[in-house]
Structure formats: structure tokens, C-alpha cells
Amino acid sequence: MKPHVFARFLLLVLFATPTVQSQTNGLSPQWTLTSADSQRMEKMLARNLLPKVKNAFIVPHWIGTSDEFWYRRQTSSGTEFVVVDAAAGSRRPAFDHQAMAAAVSKATGTTVTSDHLPFEAIEFNQNRSSIGIVVGNRQYNCVLKPAACSGGSPIPPDPLDVTIATEPPPPVTDPSEGLLISPDKQWAVLTKDNNLWMQDMHTGQQHQLTRDGQPNCGYGIYVGIWNTASIPRDHMIEAGHHLPPMASFWSPDSRTVIVPHVDQRNVADYPFVESVPTDGSFRPQLHLARIPLAGEKPALLEWYIFEALSGKYRRINFPYDKMLMSDSDSLELRSRWWSSDARHLYVLYRGLFKQSAFFFDVDVATGNVRTVIDEQLLPRMDLAPSFVDDPVVWTGANGKDIIWYSFRDGWGHLYLYDGQTGRLRNQITRGEWLVHAIVKVDEPKRVIYFTAAGKEGGNPYYRYLYRVNFDGSDLRLLSPEPADHLIGRIAPLNNPPKVETISPSGKYAVYNFSTPQQPPQAVIRSTADGRLIATVEKADVTELWATGYKPPEEFVARSADGKYDLWCLIYKPTDFDPQKRYPVIDTEYAATITSAVPRNFMEAIRGAPGGTDPALVELGFVAVAIDGRGTPNRSHDFWLASYGKMNINGLDDHVAAIQQMGKRFPYMDLDRVGIMGQSFGGWSAIWAMLDFPDFFKVGVAGIPAAIGHSLYPIMEDYQGPPVYSDGSHWRPRPNEVPENWKAIDGRAKAGDLKGHLLMFVGEDDENDLSGSVLQFVDALMAADKNFDLIYMPSANHAARFSHPQYAIRRMYDYMVHYLQPGH
């Protein structure tokens, strides 16, 4: 359900999809996948297709302050390192690979070859006479001419700067465990007995800074909010390990450290039963997590500044009564900047119910806070084009200029504010198109490089690279190819590292682009005028085409209300016969969190999040992927179309789009339509079966939720703040449903189920709480409805992978059985 959880879960879907084998158990022998089915599917699984595309994505690593970069490229026999001169567009080997292989072999005592060097990254020294590499857990310095490598040394541990994690790190035995170490490595803070302690890293001596900590009320203690994939959350402590203070961070000059004070005494425990303990014992184990549900007051957070030398501390005087405290993204100061002298901390924060946003200037010496920007936008103040994107906000080293993001004119655009007065200077971008991300800001030249979509016509989801001056003048397109440009922190669905697209001088841009049908390319262009300097790579897809893979076809439908174009994809099996009639499966992640239809070549191979489409269609289906109203990355009206209507959630657009496809393509059998989704997509699969029972005949809902009010406070972002019978936002009675949330109470709609519904539930899922789904299950039973439930003992939000081969077989068996009788 949650944005960063979705990204993590999707990686599991895309890369951990197991081999599907023919089975004789399950629903019944005649319903299971055959050996031929398994072989066709296996061939088209993303994990088998993706490696067949060579040089699909080039990551430029700029060398010092020069306009040269290195990257690691795939060859027919292995890999090689090359250096590219961006100005000339020329390419050369980064070093003598044969000589380097011999040097590394001698240094490591293992035999390596020139096309399979045992490292993935290099770091040139200042005069480029040597490179630093890492092999295993040791680092080496290798002189280039003549090639020779020093004896390796252990990699020193990095200082821990730990924020709220979606799951605790694995147990370690490092002496710095539990410490948050300062950048100069002189100091560290740790939480002990709910209080904060300071440690001198030279002497190891510790002294206590606070003394008022209590159980569930202390400094740097971890909130008990859901933890996605990690029950029990306290396994670190049970094993004798400790975590650094939650969401804490040091100033760059190591003089101060910012630590939250957490009071969660008012939050009730949410029990989780681990029926099949991981230690192999027979007695189920109980785990308690303090999780506030919708309508319950969350933990209270206040932030403190601690001085390293004196140990003195002071409260940061944020306007806490106006600030959002019910969402994990707000439990850390994620968007923050330090002034060059570290005397000011600049913070971006969300307001209550995400209906406002603030930019704060914190005086570190006093803890006083100046509100620089305070914008309110109903029903929801969004700071990025989707919930999975980082806020599109920037400030300079001294906070004089602030680039702000707002949908105030109906589209996500950039605005320039005076950081000293809080006055709006000017709107930077404008028009019926959407800014996606700030790629780089050249503060001295007052130039912004950014990505945006919808300005160039065609597919409105394709991202392009632009530059513009701070005052909004001289807006220039730098990437003219009609394609999706993968630039900066690209595609949260892929979750890659941040890519430095713009060269150190600002003169050149290096980026990758593709469409679902056109393979990737990487090019160099001038940032002055967009002139093409060179094509660095064209992906080699020879092996991919040899498998018979067919890219999906694009289809543009109209939304159910007739106002918008919907850009969809259609996947067909490799043995597609236009004279046949195929069942249709809607593989979806119909959610306000992110748009999920693949928009570039590699995403298309993976398929939509609801199912691995290229493999699924090999079972004799046609699969469709649709981004309906209510999904982001379009206008604010498009995004907000499902606000307060999360039971519909754009599914009316899915129905409309599939009906339009059926009229145009006779091979689609609209009497046999199924729907599949995971997580938030599981929610949508359930509601599709409830609200459109005559259209969707079969639904598979993986690790879903079904009831809004029995979850942690997430639906308030999409359905609106809960309003109870007494007019308040806080639940007056344990069993009361918010008046404005009754439409998303799955229990009330259980009697409308007509088709075949299969749900996968993880017993210990802290993201989509199993209790919420089981309340819906209870309502289905009360309504005397047939349904199927796979309850995965001790499984977390990655429940589909608790027993992956079993889960995916049952999922696809279900569709085959009910949509293809006699298969």
C-alpha cells in the first residue's frame, strides 16, 4: 500500500518470480498448468528475458570535475570499462584490461580474466594514474602503467546514518552497532534505556545526555508503526543487537545532532501471531507492535538539537499542532538541507492530512523556527507528480532561493521563492504539462535542469529533459526523441541509484531513452541547444528477439467520463492467432500511489505490477495494462478523480477501456475478463469484483486490504480525513466507521460478490493488515459467498513469496481454470 513499500515489493515481483512447474496437487489435476505451459512461461519470465538485453542502461560516472565519464559495458564475452569524452563523443578503454587482470590475479591470489574482472566500479585518483577497486570485502589501489595492485585492505565501516527502515538491517557484530557516528568520526550518539547517550569515539567513554526517558517515551526510540516485511521487529534486540537512534542525523560540521523524542504511550498494541516460528519451535509466538489505526491518535514526535561538545540540548520549536504525524514518511526529516555554515537547517514538512506543506528555517543555536512557505491546497497538497517520487523542492546553500512545487494551477509546476522573506518571486514553469523532477540546479548561473511530461504531445507519460532559467525564461527542450527518457532518479518501479545526467561543467547531458516497443539507446547532447553529440550505446536485443518476445501494443482509449485519453498496453502470446478468441486479464496496480503501465522498453518486459505479462499471456490470455483516473503523473484533476471514491478508484475507466478494446479487436472475449493485482492492486482487484461484478468474472488479490478504516491512517490521503458521527476526526467508539468512509467498507459490499475471488493473505503483514482482510472474509461468510483464501502462516507483505512456487502456480491455475474451461 505505501509508496516505498510498493517499490520494494515490485522488485520482488520482477526479479524473484519463480520457475513454474507442472503439479498434480492444488485445485485438481485437470486445472493445473501442464509441462508445456510451464516451459512457455519460463521462457518469458522477466528474470530470463531481461539478461538478454545488453547495455540497456548506461550509468555515467563523471571523473572528477572533467567532462569525461566511465561506464561498464557488456560485450559478447563479458564486460569492459570504457571512458567517454562527452565533448568529443569519443570512447576508449579505461585501462589495459589484460594487464589489469594479471595484476588483480596476483594481488588477490585468484585467477581472473580480462572480460570478467571481479569488480563493478572504479575510482580514478586525481591524475588518473591509478584506480581504486573493491574485490570481495577488500579494497585495492591499482596503478595503471605498468599495471600493479597493492595488497588489499579491509573496507572500513561507513558511519551509520539510519532512518526509519522498512525492515531492520540484518544482525551484525560491529563494535559501532547501535551508534550514529558523526561525519568527523569523533562522536557518536546512541539510545539506551529510552535516553540519549554520547560516546567519544577516541576513548570509548559514554555519558548520558537525557534522563527523562520512559518506556515508549524516549529519545531516538523506534515508533511501533507498521514495518512491512519484518515481524518480529524486535529480533535485533532479542539477538542482543541494537539500532542507532531512529531518524537521527548529524550536521555536516559534526557539532550538532538532531534526534526525535517519541511518545507512543497512547498508541495501542496490534498483535501479530507467528504460527510457524522461524526458529522451528512448535508454540506460536506473539509479537506486539504499536500501530495506530485510522481515527486513532498517532505517536507524538518532537525534534531536539544536541551539541556534541557540551551535551546541551534544545527543542526545535516547530508548529507541531499543524504538522502531520500519522504517516511514516513524516516520522523523519527526509527532505532537509544545511546552510554552508551548518547554523541553519532547512526542512520540508507536510501539514495535517496532507492538506498543506511548509518550508521551515531552523536556527540551530536557539531551536527557533521561521516558517518561510506555508501553502494549503484542498483536498490534498502534493509536492511531487506521484506518491513514490521525492518532493520536487530545492534550496541553495544559504537558503536564499527556494524552488517550490505546487499544483495550484492544476498542473505540477516550479515556483521561485525568496528564502529570506518567503515572498513568491515568480512562477518558473507553466502550461498544461507536468514537471517530474529537478535533475540539477546550477545556482551561480541560475539555471534549472528538470524532467517533465506532456509538453511535447503524444504519450503524456513520456519524460523529457529541459532547462530553464530561475526567472522562467529560455525554456529549452534538451531531449527531443519521442520516448521515455530515464534521467536522474528514474522510475521508482526500477529503483536504480541516482544518475548524474548533467556533466560537472553543465555543458553536456548523458541519458537513456526507449519506448515499450523501441529498444534503449544512450546519447550525449549539448545542454546549450540540445545538439546531438554522439550515440554512446544502442542496446543489443538480438538474444531477446530470438526468444520470440513481442513488445506490447499501445492502445489509446477514452475515460468513462469521456474527458481523458487513457494510454494502455496490450500483451499477446507469442503464438497469437487473430482468428481465436482470448480471455482478457487486467493486470493492474490501480492506485493513487503511482502510474503502473510500463512506459519504456525494460519495464514493458517486466510487465505491469499485477502480473508478469509476457509470461502470463503464454497461457492463452491477452493481458492489458491501464492507468485510469485517480492515478498520478497527469493533471491534478486526473489524479484527484478517485479522491473520496476509493472503491471505484478508476476501475470504471478500466471497464471502459477494455470495452473499447473489445469493439476494435474481435480476438478479445469480453465475456471472460479477469483482474489481478498485488498490495494496493489487491485492494482494486477485490473492489473490481464487488463494484463491477457483471464485468470481472475472476479476481486474484495478492496481499490486499479490503476495509479502509481498519488499517493504519493511509486512506485519509485518498479518501479524505475520516469524519465520525460527532464531527471529529477521532473515532469515538471502537466499532464506528467514518461517515465518509462507509463506501470503502468491504464488509458492506460482501453480498455483491458474484464471480470467483482468490485472496492471498500474509499472517504477519504489517502493511496490509491481515485483520482487515479477515474482517472482509468474515463478511463474505456471513453473506454465504463462495471465495478462495490462501492464508500464509508467518508471512509478511511479501506473502506471495512465502512459498513462491506454490503461490504463483495457484494464481495462474485460478485464471486458467475459471477463464479457460477444458484447458
Side-chain angles (χ1 to χ4, degrees):
M1 296 286 284
K2 297 298 291 181
H4 55 279
V5 173
F6 166 69
R8 178 182 179 278
F9 169 75
L10 186 60
L11 289 176
L12 291 173
V13 174
L14 299 181
F15 297 113
T17 306
T19 301
V20 181
Q21 299 178 350
S22 178
Q23 302 285 334
T24 57
N25 58 339
L27 296 171
S28 73
Q30 67 267 29
W31 295 353
T32 55
L33 307 179
T34 67
S35 239
D37 293 333
S38 300
Q39 290 173 8
R40 291 197 312 275
M41 285 185 61
E42 174 73 14
K43 187 178 179 181
M44 292 297 159
L45 287 173
R47 63 177 174 81
N48 291 327
L49 292 180
L50 291 171
K52 298 185 183 300
V53 182
K54 289 185 172 63
N55 298 311
F57 187 75
I58 300 307
V59 180
H61 300 270
W62 299 101
I63 303 173
T65 58
S66 74
D67 285 331
E68 290 191 331
F69 64 90
W70 67 265
Y71 74 97
R72 186 169 178 249
R73 72 181 303 271
Q74 296 169 289
T75 67
S76 59
S77 58
T79 59
E80 65 179 358
F81 291 85
V82 297
V83 170
V84 177
D85 182 334
S90 59
R91 187 174 70 189
R92 65 183 185 275
F95 46 78
D96 184 329
H97 286 64
Q98 193 71 42
M100 183 59 64
V104 172
S105 296
K106 182 177 180 180
T108 62
T110 58
T111 301
V112 300
T113 60
S114 60
D115 52 1
H116 289 88
L117 294 171
F119 49 88
E120 297 182 357
I122 59 178
E123 184 175 355
F124 284 96
N125 67 346
Q126 190 170 3
N127 62 13
R128 303 198 200 180
S129 62
S130 67
I131 57 173
I133 62 172
V134 173
V135 179
N137 60 354
R138 299 179 70 81
Q139 57 187 11
Y140 300 82
N141 184 64
C142 299
V143 176
L144 299 183
K145 295 181 179 179
C149 296
S150 64
S153 59
I155 302 173
D158 291 331
L160 297 175
D161 187 355
V162 177
T163 55
I164 298 174
T166 54
E167 60 178 312
V172 293
T173 56
D174 192 280
S176 64
E177 183 183 273
L179 301 180
L180 182 67
I181 304 171
S182 62
D184 64 7
K185 298 182 176 59
Q186 182 176 350
W187 306 99
V189 288
L190 66 154
T191 296
K192 187 162 51 174
D193 298 327
N194 304 298
N195 283 297
L196 196 71
W197 293 63
M198 184 76 70
Q199 176 171 315
D200 187 319
M201 294 300 292
H202 297 305
T203 66
Q205 186 176 8
Q206 297 180 350
H207 63 278
Q208 190 171 350
L209 300 181
T210 67
R211 299 185 181 278
D212 58 337
Q214 305 173 40
N216 289 304
C217 182
Y219 299 86
I221 66 172
Y222 280 72
V223 294
I225 200 166
W226 61 273
N227 204 16
T228 305
S230 186
I231 284 287
R233 66 157 45 74
D234 54 353
H235 76 277
M236 293 285 288
I237 297 174
E238 290 175 352
H241 300 299
H242 304 280
L243 298 174
M246 183 197 79
S248 304
F249 56 95
W250 283 91
S251 62
D253 62 5
S254 300
R255 292 182 179 180
T256 56
V257 61
I258 312 298
V259 179
H261 178 271
V262 179
D263 185 353
Q264 57 181 353
R265 290 172 295 182
N266 65 295
V267 181
D269 285 325
Y270 197 100
F272 291 91
V273 175
E274 188 181 8
S275 296
V276 184
T278 55
D279 61 7
S281 58
F282 308 127
R283 185 178 294 274
Q285 296 179 7
L286 177 67
H287 304 284
L288 301 176
R290 289 181 179 255
I291 301 179
L293 301 183
E296 297 175 356
K297 292 186 177 180
L300 301 176
L301 265 75
E302 295 183 337
W303 294 87
Y304 283 79
I305 301 168
F306 290 83
E307 296 179 2
L309 286 174
S310 68
K312 294 180 180 179
Y313 61 98
R314 62 194 69 90
R315 179 178 180 268
I316 298 180
N317 297 316
F318 287 125
Y320 293 102
D321 60 327
K322 299 180 180 179
M323 293 163 59
L324 177 71
M325 295 293 178
S326 61
D327 186 279
S328 66
D329 291 338
S330 300
L331 296 177
E332 52 183 319
L333 301 181
R334 183 172 298 174
S335 296
R336 61 180 190 259
W337 303 261
W338 288 96
S339 62
S340 56
D341 59 7
R343 297 182 184 277
H344 288 264
L345 173 65
Y346 308 110
V347 176
L348 177 67
Y349 221 111
R350 289 293 189 92
L352 290 173
F353 304 116
K354 294 187 178 177
Q355 295 176 339
S356 58
F358 307 96
F359 190 93
F360 296 125
D361 177 354
V362 179
D363 185 331
V364 176
T366 64
N368 291 333
V369 175
R370 181 172 62 94
T371 301
V372 183
I373 300 175
D374 175 357
E375 180 175 358
Q376 299 184 26
L377 188 62
L378 296 178
R380 192 178 64 225
M381 175 72 195
D382 292 303
L383 293 168
S386 80
F387 284 137
V388 298
D389 291 306
D390 293 332
V392 189
V393 176
W394 172 93
T395 187
N398 294 305
K400 292 181 179 180
D401 294 304
I402 301 170
I403 299 174
W404 187 253
Y405 189 84
S406 175
F407 278 92
R408 66 184 66 169
D409 69 356
W411 296 84
H413 280 298
L414 303 178
Y415 297 79
L416 180 65
Y417 277 82
D418 185 318
Q420 304 302 314
T421 66
R423 181 179 59 86
L424 173 65
R425 288 178 179 158
N426 58 268
Q427 184 171 352
I428 302 172
T429 60
R430 65 180 69 243
E432 294 186 354
W433 48 279
L434 182 75
V435 171
H436 266 260
I438 295 173
V439 176
K440 184 176 181 177
V441 176
D442 188 330
E443 193 171 5
K445 296 180 181 178
R446 302 184 72 75
V447 171
I448 307 163
Y449 299 92
F450 66 96
T451 54
K455 189 176 185 300
E456 305 309 315
N459 192 313
Y461 294 92
Y462 287 171
R463 294 159 292 184
Y464 292 81
L465 178 65
Y466 299 86
R467 60 168 288 179
V468 68
N469 294 332
F470 274 31
D471 63 4
S473 64
D474 198 23
L475 174 64
R476 297 195 182 191
L477 171 66
L478 300 180
S479 60
E481 304 89 355
D484 188 29
H485 296 77
L486 282 67
I487 293 169
R489 175 97 48 195
I490 61 166
L493 305 190
N494 296 342
N495 200 30
K498 183 174 175 61
V499 178
E500 295 294 339
T501 298
I502 309 300
S503 70
S505 71
K507 295 180 179 179
Y508 307 101
V510 179
Y511 59 80
N512 302 259
F513 66 92
S514 67
T515 72
Q517 297 80 29
Q518 298 172 352
Q521 295 185 47
V523 300
I524 305 171
R525 286 189 180 271
S526 164
T527 60
D529 53 13
R531 174 176 53 89
L532 178 66
I533 294 174
T535 298
V536 181
E537 288 285 355
K538 289 186 177 180
D540 182 350
V541 292
T542 306
E543 293 182 29
L544 177 70
W545 297 144
T547 67
Y549 170 77
K550 295 180 179 179
E553 299 174 10
E554 196 168 70
F555 182 86
V556 182
R558 291 297 285 179
S559 59
D561 64 357
K563 293 181 179 180
Y564 300 97
D565 284 338
L566 307 176
W567 294 72
C568 317
L569 289 181
I570 301 173
Y571 287 82
K572 301 175 184 177
T574 53
D575 61 354
F576 174 75
D577 182 349
Q579 303 306 313
K580 290 184 177 181
R581 297 271 286 171
Y582 292 86
V584 179
I585 298 181
D586 184 354
T587 56
E588 51 80 24
Y589 188 79
T592 60
I593 290 175
T594 184
S595 53
V597 175
R599 302 299 176 188
N600 56 63
F601 194 79
M602 301 303 279
E603 285 181 358
I605 293 174
R606 297 181 178 108
T612 52
D613 299 77
L616 175 63
V617 296
E618 292 303 296
L619 296 177
F621 299 107
V622 167
V624 298
I626 302 163
D627 281 328
R629 287 170 298 154
T631 54
N633 296 312
R634 299 281 291 271
S635 70
H636 215 212
D637 284 344
F638 189 95
W639 194 1
L640 293 170
S642 61
Y643 190 90
K645 298 179 289 185
M646 286 304 294
N647 54 314
I648 302 300
N649 199 27
L651 291 168
D652 51 347
D653 282 350
H654 286 239
V655 174
I658 294 172
Q659 288 175 333
Q660 291 168 54
M661 293 175 189
K663 289 181 179 178
R664 181 171 174 183
F665 304 121
Y667 61 78
M668 288 189 176
D669 186 347
L670 299 196
D671 290 327
R672 293 184 291 162
V673 179
I675 187 167
M676 297 173 60
Q678 315 295 322
S679 191
F680 218 136
W683 164 281
S684 296
I686 289 174
W687 281 100
M689 299 297 293
L690 297 179
D691 276 347
F692 301 92
D694 296 322
F695 186 78
F696 294 104
K697 305 301 194 302
V698 184
V700 174
I703 47 178
I707 299 172
H709 59 263
S710 57
L711 296 171
Y712 47 87
I714 181 176
M715 282 298 172
E716 62 188 28
D717 296 350
Y718 322 125
Q719 188 70 9
V723 179
Y724 293 90
S725 59
D726 61 359
S728 76
H729 298 309
W730 309 115
R731 190 170 62 240
R733 292 181 298 277
N735 63 345
E736 184 169 338
V737 177
E739 296 294 319
N740 59 329
W741 286 24
K742 289 183 177 179
I744 58 172
D745 183 354
R747 300 173 304 173
K749 296 284 290 186
D752 293 340
L753 179 66
K754 290 184 180 180
H756 304 282
L757 174 62
L758 170 63
M759 294 173 285
F760 289 78
V761 178
E763 180 177 49
D764 291 332
D765 190 341
E766 285 186 76
N767 191 3
D768 284 321
L769 301 171
S770 58
S772 175
V773 186
L774 294 179
Q775 290 167 27
F776 174 60
V777 166
D778 182 69
L780 289 172
M781 291 178 173
D784 199 23
K785 292 294 179 178
N786 291 332
F787 64 94
D788 294 279
L789 175 71
I790 295 179
Y791 185 83
M792 294 189 166
S794 305
N796 51 46
H797 194 55
R800 176 178 172 181
F801 305 101
S802 177
H803 295 286
Q805 180 172 302
Y806 177 81
I808 195 171
R809 178 178 62 81
R810 290 296 304 272
M811 182 183 302
Y812 290 164
D813 274 355
Y814 205 77
M815 288 294 180
V816 168
H817 172 62
Y818 286 113
L819 292 179
Q820 294 182 343
H823 172 78

